């Protein structure tokens, strides 16, 4: 059992019951978070889930949406890094001079059109 500063038992703060309006808002924000996740808008999804959690800190779906938004965002950033690495490697290859391709053949004077 945890003890409060005054020596008495530490009680968990009681959650107040949400009003209907607050419950509808939480439900809407959670739905908006999942919709944003489906569209790949991870920052928006996290923002909507945080709004829901501000009113209802123990809301399981809001917590799950927030966790999923964070995970997918970090995975998305890893994919972007991997793609940029591939692009950079390709660019380095493409801009590397290739003298045997760009030089003229020795019989150029014979085959060139006058």
């Amino acid at each position: 059992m945890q003890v409060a500063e005054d020596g008495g038992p530490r009680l968990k703060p009681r959650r107040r019951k949400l009003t209907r309006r607050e419950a509808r808002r939480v439900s809407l924000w959670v739905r908006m978070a999942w919709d944003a996740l489906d569209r790949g808008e991870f920052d928006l999804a996290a923002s909507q889930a945080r709004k829901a959690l501000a009113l209802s800190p123990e809301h399981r779906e809001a917590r799950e949406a927030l966790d999923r938004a964070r995970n997918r965002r970090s995975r998305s950033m890893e994919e972007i890094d991997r793609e940029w690495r591939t692009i950079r490697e390709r660019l380095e290859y493409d801009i590397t001079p290739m003298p045997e391709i760009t030089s003229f053949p020795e019989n150029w004077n014979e085959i060139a059109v006058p």
Side-chain angles (χ1 to χ4, degrees), residues 96-114:
T96 302
M98 299 188 185
E100 57 275 353
I101 293 175
T102 57
S103 62
F104 294 104
E106 290 186 25
N107 65 343
W108 178 249
N109 289 332
E110 298 170 13
I111 61 174
V113 179

Side-chain angles (χ1 to χ4, degrees), residues 3-68:
V3 179
E5 289 178 12
D6 63 1
R10 185 176 201 170
L11 302 175
K12 290 184 181 178
R14 291 187 80 183
R15 287 188 332 180
R16 72 175 178 83
K17 187 171 170 113
L18 296 177
T19 65
R20 281 188 192 168
R21 182 178 180 176
E22 290 172 331
R24 281 195 307 264
R25 290 171 108 183
V26 167
S27 181
L28 175 66
W29 286 327
V30 169
R31 212 169 334 127
M32 291 171 72
W34 286 109
D35 289 345
L37 276 170
D38 289 341
R39 292 189 309 270
E41 298 178 32
F42 308 124
D43 290 334
L44 178 61
S47 172
Q48 297 301 330
R50 279 199 283 296
K51 286 180 187 177
L53 288 168
L55 276 181
S56 181
E58 296 178 14
H59 196 283
R60 185 180 46 80
E61 282 187 68
R63 174 69 51 205
E64 186 178 335
L66 180 59
D67 291 343
R68 199 165 292 181

